[in-house]
Amino acid sequence: VFVLDEIDKLAIGSQGDPSSALLEVLDPEQNSTFYDNYLEIGYDLSKVMFIATSNSLNTIQPALRDRMEIIDISGYTMEEKVQIAKKHLLPKQLKEHGLGKDALKLGKKEFEQVVEGYTSESGVRGLDKKLAKLVRYAAKSIAMEDEYETKLNSDLVVDILGPQRFSKDKYQNNEVAGVVTGLAWTSVGGTILFIESSLSPGKGRLTLTGNLGKVMKESASLALEFIKSNHDKFGLKSDVFTKWDIHIHVPEGAVPKDGPSAGITMLTSLTSLLTQRKVKKSLAMSGEITLRGKVLPVGGIKEKILAAKRAGIKEIILCKDNEKDILEIKPDYLKGLSFNYVDHMLDVIDLALTNQKVKDAKKV
């Protein structure tokens, strides 16, 4: 077995193009007669199993990528990180620092605190460093012959590691029209995001802020056009779109956001705003839209579902085609969650909005 680590780092230089040389090596139709031009010797590589790793497929030469079988491995979930830390990382650090297994102990709550409050990564390298810092606290106390708590609590973790660097998003109330909870996938796992919309007197302009990418901007335009063409179904007058300006914002403007998963969230936000109807409590959604009203499936479902559960979400709206992704998730992760599967954007509105108006509703 040959492991080619981080094959996406291959670069073309003055000495040649190594990725082109690998075309013959990795092609099972040719590698039985591979000839090394440098050593001027032929090799039979047909019995070698090549495993290549990569952080990104974008920088791999297309011809080389075509010769590989791609296996996508998602980042660890919070639950998986806790088990890895408990069973492997903490015992390893205790051993490396010359301590017994009873020298330091953390409960599940403390492990989760370290994972969520002090790391933001797809792997566990940063988590390993934080656990090493906790173990050094025990090692120093033993070396200085100081008394210390072998069972760390939340306050002690903060004393050793300092204030938490990261905070997880929590579901917010539904008292304001136009604020909807969406689900997003990131390289470090799933997260929730809030899409906010507001109205102001104007001439029908659409403004988008929040460091949005091209795909999300298109989703917002699609959602607005769908509402315009179906205004009668939402009980709206056609002149609404020429008398009011609409502003859509996604908080945390310093963080770039893009991807085809916020379409139905944009639609729900705009519909809630224009009709001044409340969004259901503890509801989140993810899905893309088309101009004719069809809801399309999205990826990263497992990570999104776990993020929703951590944020206190109870009900989730997904595309009908994403039901198969839910069936692949362990039932333990789905406890306390209910799912609604939709095919059309009107179904999303029926499920997401109540008939109750928000307080101080604007007359649109």
Side-chain angles (χ1 to χ4, degrees), residues 323-357:
E323 187 173 2
K324 62 182 184 298
D325 300 302
I326 299 298
L327 297 176
E328 295 176 357
I329 301 175
K330 289 182 180 179
D332 292 346
Y333 293 157
L334 304 179
K335 286 181 180 178
L337 296 174
S338 62
F339 296 90
N340 299 295
Y341 302 106
V342 296
D343 288 319
H344 198 272
M345 285 153 67
L346 292 177
D347 299 331
V348 176
I349 301 305
D350 290 339
L351 288 167
L353 300 186
T354 68
N355 290 322
Q356 187 179 2
K357 296 277 187 177

Side-chain angles (χ1 to χ4, degrees), residues 128-350:
D128 193 30
K129 292 177 182 177
K130 295 300 178 184
L131 292 174
K133 192 171 182 179
L134 295 176
V135 173
R136 284 196 295 272
Y137 155 78
K140 185 200 75 156
S141 299
I142 292 172
M144 302 293 289
E145 297 183 352
D146 294 335
E147 289 188 7
Y148 74 101
E149 292 287 339
T150 57
K151 179 76 166 65
L152 296 184
N153 57 32
S154 298
D155 293 335
L156 263 175
V157 170
V158 173
D159 289 341
I160 299 167
L161 299 181
Q164 292 191 11
R165 295 180 56 209
F166 305 99
S167 60
K168 61 181 181 179
D169 288 321
K170 278 289 186 183
Y171 169 76
Q172 299 175 6
N173 64 48
N174 64 336
E175 297 301 320
V176 180
V179 179
V180 183
T181 307
L183 300 174
W185 179 92
T186 69
S187 59
V188 296
T191 185
I192 67 170
L193 54 83
F194 300 101
I195 293 181
E196 306 172 346
S197 302
S198 68
L199 282 173
S200 59
K203 298 180 180 180
R205 288 186 307 166
L206 174 64
T207 305
L208 303 169
T209 55
N211 205 346
L212 305 184
K214 185 177 179 181
V215 177
M216 286 190 74
K217 289 179 179 178
E218 290 176 350
S219 296
S221 298
L222 281 171
L224 184 57
E225 289 302 320
F226 179 80
I227 295 172
K228 284 181 179 179
S229 60
N230 295 274
H231 62 89
D232 53 330
K233 296 178 182 177
F234 299 112
L236 297 170
K237 297 178 181 179
S238 58
D239 61 354
V240 166
F241 306 102
T242 58
K243 292 181 178 179
W244 297 87
D245 287 342
I246 298 173
H247 189 140
I248 298 177
H249 177 66
V250 183
E252 296 186 33
V255 180
K257 308 169 193 73
D258 201 13
S261 63
I264 64 173
T265 319
M266 297 273 193
L267 170 79
T268 306
S269 177
L270 290 174
T271 308
S272 170
L273 175 73
L274 293 169
T275 61
Q276 292 292 295
R277 290 163 60 189
K278 281 189 174 184
V279 179
K280 279 186 182 177
K281 284 187 176 180
S282 304
L283 175 77
M285 60 191 72
S286 184
E288 195 44 88
I289 56 179
T290 69
L291 195 56
R292 68 180 189 272
K294 186 175 175 57
V295 178
L296 302 178
V298 293
I301 294 299
K302 180 182 177 182
E303 290 84 358
K304 291 176 180 178
I305 296 307
L306 293 173
K309 190 172 182 180
R310 289 196 297 269
I313 299 296
K314 303 296 182 185
E315 190 174 355
I316 296 172
I317 298 176
L318 295 172
C319 174
K320 180 69 175 175
D321 291 339
N322 279 129
E323 187 173 2
K324 62 182 184 298
D325 300 302
I326 299 298
L327 297 176
E328 295 176 357
I329 301 175
K330 289 182 180 179
D332 292 346
Y333 293 157
L334 304 179
K335 286 181 180 178
L337 296 174
S338 62
F339 296 90
N340 299 295
Y341 302 106
V342 296
D343 288 319
H344 198 272
M345 285 153 67
L346 292 177
D347 299 331
V348 176
I349 301 305
D350 290 339

Side-chain angles (χ1 to χ4, degrees), residues 92-111:
K92 183 193 79 170
Q93 289 295 342
L94 288 170
K95 184 178 179 182
E96 288 182 355
H97 286 77
L99 303 180
K101 63 180 182 179
D102 295 326
L104 191 73
K105 294 181 179 178
L106 278 80
K108 183 182 177 183
K109 180 183 175 182
E110 286 69 40
F111 275 120

